[in-house]
């Protein structure tokens, strides 16, 4: 028998509560019962045909690519970002192509952090940050968001120490669906710009916003900014593993060195998928349906007693406060799945028991029926 000792980092990882519930939901569905699965972290549409057709013309591209990404794609991303971020400083040299949002974030963290450096995370935040920060040698410092899931800049200020190296800003946010207010982001910029702290903006949902007054992260004048973005959610390219980071060219050069040893390059064909997507990247294909689903969710949830929620400003999540019913959201979700066939993600997955996350990327009819089941379940449950 092997005597290999698993590292503290790997053995400290917990099974994702999202995956656990998802597996149960699939088991129930396999038994023939109807399941309303609202745990998904991805669009319910396939990759658009025009992207797949474009990639099909590139099947002869099967060698290593430059570590930093193929030049045509870097140029296309830079042009796209100059427009989206209204930032004329963004050139090809400011772009590195990476294998999805996760590697982009990891490389961003690895490029900046030294062992023991602190990273501030407004909380609740997406599950993987903690592990990505730890894997990069850092220590995560969680700072609660305000009651309506906006940044609490005063609370952030209190947590800044001489070890604080970065702050993660994810707006629109997973799991809350909130878009941080412009006032809070401006206030944060005023605070952060008096320090050398770097903002790591996880902009994975930046194309999925429901309000026309949205301003991209570049508008707030952060002195030190690394943006991680990609095509997984906006272009339904989750399985292709393709994203990019935008940063000062010196950061791109350092991150490229890391990538050369870690991942080599992003899959050649996936880079072409992104190029094909950018050729028509006007509005994400599923945004119209998402907006309709959001209206439906807001309308239905507002009428359900005993729960509270803040209408999401972006992404495809509603984060529901069920503390009026229970603080054991894991047990509540298991019961909801067993009794009504509805799968939600318990707040425990994001370190906030007493909440549940509902992902509304399903078709409208499934969403409508599932919301009805949730309402029945809540009305039947003891207060
Ligand atoms: N950032 C956030 C906030 C996410 O929710 C996700 C995926 O769920 C990612 C990053 C990772 O995206 P990718 O699938 O491109 O690695």
């Amino acid at each position: 028998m092997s005597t290999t000792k698993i590292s503290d980092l790997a053995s400290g990882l917990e099974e994702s509560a999202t995956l656990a519930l998802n597996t149960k939901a699939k088991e129930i569905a396999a038994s023939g019962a109807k399941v309303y699965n609202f745990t998904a972290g991805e669009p319910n549409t396939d990759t658009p045909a025009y992207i797949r057709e474009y990639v099909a013309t590139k099947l002869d591209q099967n060698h290593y690519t430059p570590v930093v990404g193929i030049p045509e794609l870097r140029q296309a991303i830079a042009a796209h970002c100059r427009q989206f971020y209204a930032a004329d400083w963004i050139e090809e040299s400011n772009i590195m192509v990476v294998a999805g949002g996760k590697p982009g974030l990891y490389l961003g963290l690895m490029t900046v952090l030294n062992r023991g450096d602190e990273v501030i995370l407004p909380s609740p935040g997406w599950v993987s940050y903690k592990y990505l920060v730890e894997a990069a040698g850092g220590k995560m410092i969680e700072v609660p968001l305000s009651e309506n899931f906006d940044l609490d800049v005063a609370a952030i200020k209190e947590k800044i120490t001489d070890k604080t190296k970065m702050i993660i800003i994810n707006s629109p946010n997973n799991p809350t669906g909130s878009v941080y207010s412009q006032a809070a982001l401006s206030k944060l910029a005023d605070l952060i710009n008096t320090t050398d702290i770097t903002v790591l903006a996880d902009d994975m949902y930046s194309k999925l916003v429901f309000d026309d007054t949205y301003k991209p992260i570049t508008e707030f004048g952060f002195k030190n900014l690394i943006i991680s973005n990609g095509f997984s959610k906006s272009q339904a390219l989750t399985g292709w593993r393709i994203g990019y980071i935008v940063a000062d060219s010196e950061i791109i050069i350092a991150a490229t060195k890391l990538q050369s040893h870690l991942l080599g390059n992003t899959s050649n064909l996936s880079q072409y998928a992104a190029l094909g997507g950018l050729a028509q990247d006007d509005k994400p294909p599923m945004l119209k349906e998402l907006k309709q689903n959001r209206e439906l969710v807001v309308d239905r949830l507002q009428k359900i007693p005993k729960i509270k929620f803040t209408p999401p400003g972006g992404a495809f999540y509603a984060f529901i406060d069920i503390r009026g019913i229970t603080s054991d959201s894991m047990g509540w979700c298991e019961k909801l799945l067993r009794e009504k066939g509805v799968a939600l993600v318990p707040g425990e997955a994001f370190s906030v028991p007493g909440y549940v996350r509902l992902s509304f990327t399903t078709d409208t009819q499934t969403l409508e029926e599932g919301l009805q089941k949730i309402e029945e379940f809540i009305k039947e449950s003891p207060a």
Side-chain angles (χ1 to χ4, degrees), residues 119-159:
V119 179
I120 290 180
L121 176 73
S123 169
W126 176 54
V127 272
S128 295
Y129 294 132
K130 179 168 184 281
Y131 302 110
L132 292 170
V133 167
E134 280 177 16
K139 185 174 171 213
M140 205 171 81
I141 308 293
E142 294 188 56
V143 179
L145 289 170
S146 69
E147 190 61 24
N148 61 350
F149 302 132
D150 198 4
L151 290 175
D152 184 342
V153 181
I156 290 172
K157 187 175 178 191
E158 271 176 33
K159 292 288 179 180

Side-chain angles (χ1 to χ4, degrees), residues 30-70:
S31 75
K34 172 84 181 159
V35 169
Y36 302 89
N37 193 343
F38 301 139
T39 63
E42 63 176 334
N44 71 336
T45 46
D46 284 335
T47 299
Y50 67 85
I51 296 182
R52 286 183 278 153
E53 282 156 16
Y54 180 66
V55 175
T57 68
K58 298 289 176 187
L59 295 181
D60 56 347
Q61 299 294 319
N62 40 54
H63 290 276
Y64 288 134
T65 76
V67 171
V68 69
I70 54 177

Side-chain angles (χ1 to χ4, degrees), residues 68-90:
V68 69
I70 54 177
E72 307 92 290
L73 178 59
R74 291 178 76 208
Q75 285 154 18
I77 293 173
H80 167 78
C81 287
R82 271 196 298 275
Q83 199 184 22
F84 180 76
Y85 288 111
D88 55 12
W89 57 268
I90 302 177

Side-chain angles (χ1 to χ4, degrees), residues 41 100-103 105 126 129 170 174 202 204-205 232-233 241 317:
K102 285 177 189 174
L105 292 165
W126 176 54
Y129 294 132
N170 174 220
N174 179 4
D202 180 357
M204 192 47 75
Y205 297 96
S232 297
K233 320 282 175 173
R241 312 310 302 134
Y317 306 113

Side-chain angles (χ1 to χ4, degrees), residues 146-149 176-178 294 298 308-313 317-321:
S146 69
E147 190 61 24
N148 61 350
F149 302 132
T176 64
S178 69
R294 177 203 180 261
V298 171
K308 283 197 265 177
F309 84 107
T310 304
Y317 306 113
F319 205 53
I320 310 164
D321 180 351

